């Protein structure tokens, strides 16, 4: 905006105590604070000043609405700021009315300024972490604007709360749809961290319609646009900009971990690192960060100010019960709990138990367990480390394995935090699934990273090797060994056949080969990259997503093509090939892991089968004779089952949401 309207902008300076603008003045410009500190004096609260830090935007709504200033801004120190004239704003918004949404902080601030000029109908307040502003069944008499912070929307389902989305963009609206529809709320909206909101009731909308009828149209348009942004960001894992890093033990090399992670983040973003010592240096020793304390307000405004001018703010906490540790873990978007494989990570530490980190409403931020390993060390016992940290209403939802000194592994975590993680999804398709290996080789040659892997049927088999970071050449050898061993073993081809009451084979050779060649005896949690695969649960009539457990069992379930192999029974559930419910589970990759970029490889056929009508009354022996000695072509039962799985999945895809942006490429050549 400044670059495109440079003639309409100017960089100015203000001395300490000098007013940038005063209450009641005409709104001909808006301002962006570049250096120094200023204070906004609200006309309704003369005894209270809001401290403004670099990056703060002032006077937006007054300029856009034409109303006189409803507050004054005074320099607390020597300040440098940008003045942008009304003409520049008009020029920008006349061509792109929604361009203001690219300045979410400005949108939030302008709305607040306007609220302060209203006589009634609004409430500006802070929702503490763990508190709720909307509950299921509430009558929609008002709605909310998000000023800063993060809210989580959940919906009750069979006694559990299902996470729907999170709101983090300043200016986002909450509850306006239900208010307009006059329907009771059906969700619970809770503050993940201290969140500033403005509540508006129906009287405010009535006043707006009377004084500015076109304003209500713009409000609804912007509100719905924000809601659409929040939905898409939730699907793509919105960036976690305020992050806490805390080691399980003081022996964990947390400084080295933080240094590597910041190096990865700074490749594409501006990062500020804060610690208890840096806060103490600025504000003095921290004694009290309880509700309404001056120390809490000062520190909070400083951190949110840093969040405004940086892409990421990394806050380092110590594994103790200090006021800083207790408080900062409540105020972030994401908590990275860092352990080391050489240390005992099996049970909860004393500080985790005392804080109630995983079962308290005070710590609702997303939690990721990061386990550090010595280079080339074997990853094991992840299940034990996760066991007690996946229980409660705020558990660890993701885990990462990092080899110390491998910067690429830190790059992967940085992509997760920035919402740019890359997911690879490999579909089922029988022997055609071996072509996945060529795609993997191409991705490697192009330098495209892979952060998460998922698959179905043979795609799950290849994907498990990718998740273990095996090169494409070794994957090719492993897959060929898996199936050549099955058929080349002496008498193996015949001894695995059985009376076709349940299936043509016993499945024992497949199971043993998965254990032998596909790292099958390890657990899914011990793979270097996050991994999942899909099977079809005939007992519960639903897809089953395998994200933990014995690897070979998950692969066996996902690849159990009916009639050819017997179903796999796990914990009483009868599981068969996942191709019948989700042959290319890209939607699961986005929904569960929030990958922003998904590379989905579909090796299924075009699902068209043609045969001569003489097949209607032919016996199997005749078909065998014709295909063997007369050169006639006919699909076999295995191909029919593969096509059936593909068609079933294709029908299911109709009801799945399409990605907002997608590109399809035919790779058959």
């Amino acid at each position: 905006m400044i670059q495109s309207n440079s003639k309409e902008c100017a960089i100015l300076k203000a001395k300490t105590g000098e007013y940038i603008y005063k209450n009641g003045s005409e709104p001909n410009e808006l301002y962006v604070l570049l250096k120094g500190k200023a204070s906004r004096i609200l006309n309704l609260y003369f005894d209270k000043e809001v401290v403004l830090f670099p990056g703060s935007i002032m006077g937006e709504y007054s300029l856009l609405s034409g109303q006189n200033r409803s507050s004054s801004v005074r320099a607390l120190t020597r300040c440098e700021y940008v003045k942008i004239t009304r003409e520049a704003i008009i020029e920008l918004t006349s061509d792109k009315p929604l361009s203001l949404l690219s300045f979410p902080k400005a949108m939030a601030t302008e709305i607040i300024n306007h609220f302060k000029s209203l006589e009634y109908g609004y409430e500006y307040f802070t929702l503490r972490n763990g508190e709720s502003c909307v509950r299921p069944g509430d009558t929609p008499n008002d709605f909310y604007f998000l000023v800063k912070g993060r809210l989580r929307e959940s919906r009750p389902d069979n006694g559990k709360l299902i996470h729907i989305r999170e709101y983090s963009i300043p200016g986002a609206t909450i509850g306006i749809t239900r208010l307009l529809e006059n329907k009771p709320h059906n969700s619970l909206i809770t503050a993940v961290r201290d969140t500033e909101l403005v509540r508006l009731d129906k009287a405010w909308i009535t006043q707006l319609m009377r004084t500015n009828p076109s304003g209500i149209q713009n409000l609804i348009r912007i509100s719905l646009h924000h809601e659409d942004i929040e939905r898409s960001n939730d699907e793509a894992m919105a960036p976690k900009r305020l992050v806490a890093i805390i080691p399980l033990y003081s022996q964990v090399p947390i400084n080295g971990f933080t240094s590597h992670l910041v190096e990865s983040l700074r490749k594409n973003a501006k990062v500020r690192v804060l610690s208890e010592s840096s806060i103490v240096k600025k504000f003095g020793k921290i004694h009290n960060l309880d509700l309404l304390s001056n120390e809490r307000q000062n520190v909070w405004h400083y951190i949110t100010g840093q969040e405004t001018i940086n892409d990421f703010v990394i806050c380092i906490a110590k594994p103790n019960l200090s006021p800083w540790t207790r408080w900062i873990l409540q105020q972030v978007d994401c908590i990275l709990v860092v352990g080391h494989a050489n240390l005992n990570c099996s049970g909860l530490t004393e500080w985790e138990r005392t804080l109630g980190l995983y079962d308290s409403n005070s710590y609702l931020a997303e939690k990721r367990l990061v386990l550090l390993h010595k280079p080339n060390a074997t990853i094991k016992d992840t299940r034990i480390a996760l066991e007690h940290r996946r229980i409660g209403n705020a558990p660890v939802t993701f885990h990462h394995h990092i080899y110390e000194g491998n910067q690429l592994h830190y790059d992967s975590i940085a992509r997760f935090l920035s919402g740019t993680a890359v997911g690879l999804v490999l579909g089922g398709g029988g022997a055609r699934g071996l072509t996945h290996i060529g795609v993997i080789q191409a991705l490697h040659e192009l330098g495209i990273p892979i952060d998460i892997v998922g698959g179905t049927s043979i795609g799950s088999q290849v994907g498990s090797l990718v998740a273990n970071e095996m090169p494409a050449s070794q994957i090719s050898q492993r897959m060929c060994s898996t199936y050549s061993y099955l058929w080349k073993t002496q008498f193996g081809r015949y001894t695995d056949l059985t009376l076709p009451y349940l299936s043509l084979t016993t499945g024992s050779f497949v199971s043993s080969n998965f254990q032998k060649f596909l790292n099958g005896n390890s657990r899914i949690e011990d793979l270097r990259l996050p991994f999942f695969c899909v099977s079809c649960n005939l007992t519960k009539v639903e897809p089953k997503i395998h994200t933990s457990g014995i690897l070979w069992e998950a692969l066996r379930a996902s690849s159990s093509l009916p009639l050819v192999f017997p179903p796999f029974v796990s914990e009483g559930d009868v599981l068969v090939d996942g191709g019948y419910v989700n042959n290319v589970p890209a939607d699961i990759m986005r929904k569960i892991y929030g990958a922003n970029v998904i590379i989905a490889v579909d090796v299924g056929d075009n699902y068209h089968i043609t045969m001569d009508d003489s097949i209607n009354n032919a016996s199997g022996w005749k078909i065998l004779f014709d295909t063997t000695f007369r050169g006639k072509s006919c699909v076999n039962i295995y191909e029919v089952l593969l096509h059936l799985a593909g068609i079933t999945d294709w029908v299911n895809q109709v009801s799945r949401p399409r990605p907002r942006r997608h590109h399809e490429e035919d790779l058959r050549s």
Side-chain angles (χ1 to χ4, degrees):
M1 173 177 168
I2 292 177
Q3 292 176 351
S4 61
N5 298 279
S6 57
K7 294 182 180 180
E8 306 294 343
C9 304
I11 298 179
L12 305 176
K13 296 181 179 180
K15 299 178 181 179
T16 302
E18 183 178 347
Y19 281 90
I20 296 176
Y21 64 77
K22 292 185 177 181
N23 176 37
S25 61
E26 293 186 0
N28 295 319
E29 305 92 5
L30 65 80
Y31 307 90
V32 181
L33 186 61
L34 299 179
K35 297 180 181 179
K37 290 194 299 185
S39 67
R40 176 183 285 116
I41 307 172
L42 305 177
N43 63 333
L44 299 182
Y45 304 100
F46 289 105
D47 59 335
K48 181 179 180 181
E49 295 186 4
V50 178
V51 179
L52 305 176
F53 295 93
S56 297
I57 304 177
M58 306 160 286
E60 305 87 352
Y61 188 85
S62 296
L63 184 144
L64 296 176
S65 65
Q67 299 182 12
N68 287 345
R69 308 287 188 192
S70 57
S71 62
S72 301
V73 173
R74 179 170 53 88
L76 294 178
T77 64
R78 293 177 62 89
C79 293
E80 190 172 300
Y81 59 95
V82 175
K83 179 183 74 173
I84 306 175
T85 66
R86 176 190 297 274
E87 289 74 17
I89 297 296
I90 292 175
E91 180 182 343
L92 178 67
T93 57
S94 61
D95 295 332
K96 299 179 180 181
L98 290 180
S99 60
L100 285 173
L101 292 174
S102 62
F103 301 94
K105 178 64 177 179
M107 287 298 298
T109 308
E110 71 179 57
I111 291 168
I112 298 305
N113 284 342
H114 180 52
F115 297 153
K116 297 306 181 184
S117 67
L118 297 177
E119 297 177 358
Y120 60 89
Y122 79 94
E123 178 188 6
Y124 180 80
F125 67 100
T126 298
L127 194 68
R128 303 300 178 188
N129 69 300
E131 296 179 347
S132 300
C133 61
V134 172
R135 295 172 180 81
D138 284 354
T139 302
N141 294 319
D142 42 36
F143 70 100
Y144 303 86
F145 274 100
L146 176 64
V147 181
K148 58 184 175 183
R150 181 177 289 266
L151 297 171
R152 176 175 297 163
E153 181 177 356
S154 305
R155 194 162 295 164
D157 183 23
N158 294 326
K160 296 182 179 179
L161 284 177
I162 307 300
H163 170 53
I164 304 298
R165 69 176 65 90
E166 291 191 354
Y167 299 90
S168 60
I169 301 176
T173 59
I174 297 94
I176 190 171
T177 303
R178 287 280 162 175
L179 179 63
L180 296 174
E181 294 176 343
N182 197 28
K183 293 182 179 179
H185 291 290
N186 61 350
S187 299
L188 176 69
I189 298 181
T190 307
V192 176
R193 66 192 222 201
D194 285 3
T195 301
E196 295 183 12
L197 296 165
V198 168
R199 183 188 64 82
L200 298 107
D201 59 22
K202 291 181 180 179
W204 183 86
I205 293 182
T206 302
Q207 181 186 10
L208 181 63
M209 293 179 66
R210 184 176 65 251
T211 60
N212 186 9
S214 62
I216 191 67
Q217 299 178 5
N218 293 330
L219 172 66
I220 295 173
R221 178 167 54 118
I222 291 174
S223 300
L224 295 178
H225 186 79
H226 260 297
E227 195 166 309
D228 187 48
I229 291 175
E230 294 288 354
R231 284 196 180 99
S232 63
N233 276 346
D234 180 67
E235 290 177 353
M237 187 177 289
K240 306 300 187 292
R241 298 184 55 213
L242 189 56
V243 181
I245 299 176
I246 183 168
L248 286 176
Y249 303 98
S250 58
Q251 298 93 323
V252 175
I254 201 64
N255 291 333
F257 171 82
T258 304
S259 177
H260 283 291
L261 179 58
V262 169
E263 180 182 341
S264 294
L265 288 171
R266 282 179 174 162
K267 293 178 180 179
N268 299 294
K270 186 178 180 182
V271 184
R272 179 63 189 273
V273 179
L274 300 175
S275 63
E276 183 172 4
S277 59
S278 65
I279 295 297
V280 169
K281 184 177 180 181
K282 184 172 185 64
F283 294 99
K285 187 173 179 59
I286 300 174
H287 298 283
N288 180 20
L289 289 175
D290 294 332
L291 294 177
L292 304 180
S293 70
N294 290 331
E295 285 184 330
R296 180 180 180 131
Q297 294 299 320
N298 291 336
V299 174
W300 174 239
H301 282 299
Y302 174 71
I303 291 178
T304 54
Q306 292 300 314
E307 190 179 6
T308 300
I309 61 178
N310 292 281
D311 297 303
F312 293 95
V313 177
I314 307 296
C315 301
I316 304 175
K318 295 180 180 179
N320 55 32
L321 302 176
S322 68
W324 166 257
T325 296
R326 289 176 177 270
W327 180 75
I328 197 59
L329 295 182
Q330 300 174 358
Q331 304 305 326
V332 294
D333 301 322
C334 178
I335 301 173
L336 298 181
V337 181
V338 185
H340 199 290
N342 291 350
L343 301 173
N344 181 18
C345 301
S346 58
L348 297 182
T349 61
E350 182 179 353
W351 67 267
E352 287 176 296
R353 287 193 300 270
T354 304
L355 289 180
L357 186 63
Y358 309 110
D359 53 18
S360 170
N361 286 331
S362 298
Y363 305 99
L364 295 179
E366 176 187 277
K367 300 177 185 67
R368 294 174 177 266
L369 177 64
V370 181
L371 295 175
L372 304 179
H373 304 267
K374 294 294 183 182
N376 301 319
T378 300
I379 300 176
K380 59 181 180 179
D381 297 332
T382 309
R383 177 185 63 85
I384 299 175
L386 291 170
E387 185 175 12
H388 297 289
R389 297 180 174 91
R390 281 186 168 172
I391 300 174
N393 62 340
V396 167
T397 50
F398 300 97
H399 70 276
H400 303 273
H401 294 290
I402 299 292
Y403 283 125
E404 293 179 287
N406 191 326
Q407 192 62 42
L408 295 178
H409 293 184
Y410 294 91
D411 291 346
S412 179
I413 295 185
R415 287 189 291 272
F416 276 103
L417 294 178
S418 61
T420 58
V422 180
L424 176 65
V425 178
L426 304 178
R432 292 189 298 270
L434 295 177
T435 59
H436 288 315
I437 301 171
V439 175
I440 295 164
Q441 179 65 33
L443 294 176
H444 176 73
E445 292 175 355
L446 292 172
I448 298 175
I450 299 173
D451 301 310
I452 324 158
V453 187
T456 297
S457 195
I458 194 168
S460 69
Q461 301 167 32
V462 177
S464 67
L465 300 177
V466 176
N468 226 21
E469 293 193 321
M470 186 176 291
S473 58
Q474 292 187 29
I475 293 176
S476 178
Q477 295 174 5
R478 285 291 184 93
M479 293 303 298
C480 290
S481 299
T482 300
Y483 287 96
S484 63
Y485 182 85
L486 174 63
W487 299 111
K488 290 182 179 179
T489 299
Q490 187 176 11
F491 302 117
R493 180 173 182 174
Y494 305 104
T495 56
D496 198 41
L497 296 176
T498 185
L499 179 69
Y501 187 85
L502 180 62
S503 62
L504 296 174
T505 66
T506 66
S508 59
F509 272 90
V510 173
S511 299
S512 61
N513 283 2
F514 283 178
Q515 296 177 60
K516 182 174 182 179
F517 295 109
L518 301 181
N519 302 316
N521 288 318
S522 60
R523 297 185 63 87
I524 294 177
E525 304 95 313
D526 293 329
L527 295 174
R528 224 293 295 168
L529 297 177
F531 171 80
F532 73 90
C533 64
V534 180
S535 65
C536 176
N537 191 325
L538 298 181
T539 303
K540 298 179 179 178
V541 196
E542 63 183 14
K544 179 175 177 60
I545 305 170
H546 302 263
T547 58
S548 61
I550 303 298
L551 179 58
W552 79 265
E553 294 181 353
L555 300 180
R556 169 70 167 77
S558 182
S559 308
S560 294
L561 190 65
L563 189 60
V564 177
F565 304 111
F568 186 81
V569 180
S570 175
E571 298 179 350
D573 292 336
V574 180
L575 309 176
V576 298
D577 196 296
Y580 286 95
V581 287
N582 203 333
N583 200 44
V584 186
D587 58 324
I588 295 175
M589 175 69 77
R590 185 174 297 278
K591 180 179 180 180
I592 295 181
Y593 291 95
N596 186 35
V597 178
I598 298 177
I599 302 170
V601 186
D602 185 358
V603 296
D605 207 342
N606 56 11
Y607 309 128
H608 297 290
I609 294 179
T610 58
M611 288 187 289
D612 190 273
D613 59 5
S614 63
I615 203 74
N616 294 337
N617 299 308
S619 69
W621 297 109
K622 185 177 185 303
I623 295 174
L624 178 63
F625 180 83
D626 289 343
T627 56
T628 303
F629 300 104
R630 294 183 177 178
K632 289 187 177 182
S633 62
C634 182
V635 296
N636 56 41
I637 190 170
Y638 178 73
E639 293 173 309
V640 171
L641 291 171
L642 280 179
H643 278 71
L644 178 60
I647 292 172
T648 305
D649 179 64
W650 180 81
V651 172
N652 291 337
Q653 286 182 14
V654 176
S655 61
R656 295 178 196 149
R658 296 281 289 178
R660 297 176 64 86
R661 293 177 295 175
H662 71 279
H663 173 74
E664 295 181 1
E665 186 71 35
D666 190 341
L667 300 178
R668 283 179 291 182
S669 59

